[in-house]
Amino acid sequence: MHEEDVGLLWKHVEPRTGHNESRRSRRLVVSFISTVVNYEYAFYFYFYLDGTFEVEVKLTGELSTPLHLITSPPEYPLEFQLESSKQLILTP
């Protein structure tokens, strides 16, 4: 878990006085890595200041298994509780 700077969130210039203000955008990153056989699946959950979020999955590993043994990657159901009390289930 860590926090990242993701650029300019907003900027305002007061034309009469020339005073300006700006704020940087940050995001909270919650991540974990799961190893399945000879592959690593890295899951990244990004939470932004405006309440939005993103999910990113990165796959890495070496192809050292005979081709006839390769199966589809496992599915990880992700459940989120939304404010409207509806559930959203995402499967990669």
Side-chain angles (χ1 to χ4, degrees):
M1 182 182 323
H2 66 277
E3 192 175 279
E4 295 178 342
D5 180 79
V6 289
L8 187 65
L9 179 63
W10 61 266
K11 181 179 179 181
H12 175 72
V13 176
E14 182 61 46
R16 291 175 292 171
T17 63
H19 177 75
N20 64 54
E21 287 192 39
S22 63
R23 297 291 182 269
R24 303 291 295 174
S25 182
R26 314 252 331 142
R27 68 180 175 190
L28 175 66
V29 181
V30 178
S31 62
F32 68 92
I33 297 174
S34 175
T35 302
V36 179
V37 187
N38 60 339
Y39 292 97
E40 281 73 46
Y41 297 86
F43 295 87
Y44 297 88
F45 298 88
Y46 301 114
F47 299 93
Y48 293 89
L49 293 172
D50 63 359
T52 60
F53 70 93
E54 290 180 324
V55 178
E56 180 179 26
V57 180
K58 297 179 182 180
L59 308 175
T60 181
E62 291 185 14
L63 183 61
S64 61
T65 308
L67 291 178
H68 68 281
L69 295 179
I70 297 176
T71 61
S72 62
E75 292 187 7
Y76 297 98
L78 305 173
E79 296 186 25
F80 296 96
Q81 185 69 37
L82 303 176
E83 288 184 15
S84 63
S85 298
K86 294 180 183 177
Q87 286 191 353
L88 172 66
I89 299 176
L90 305 173
T91 54

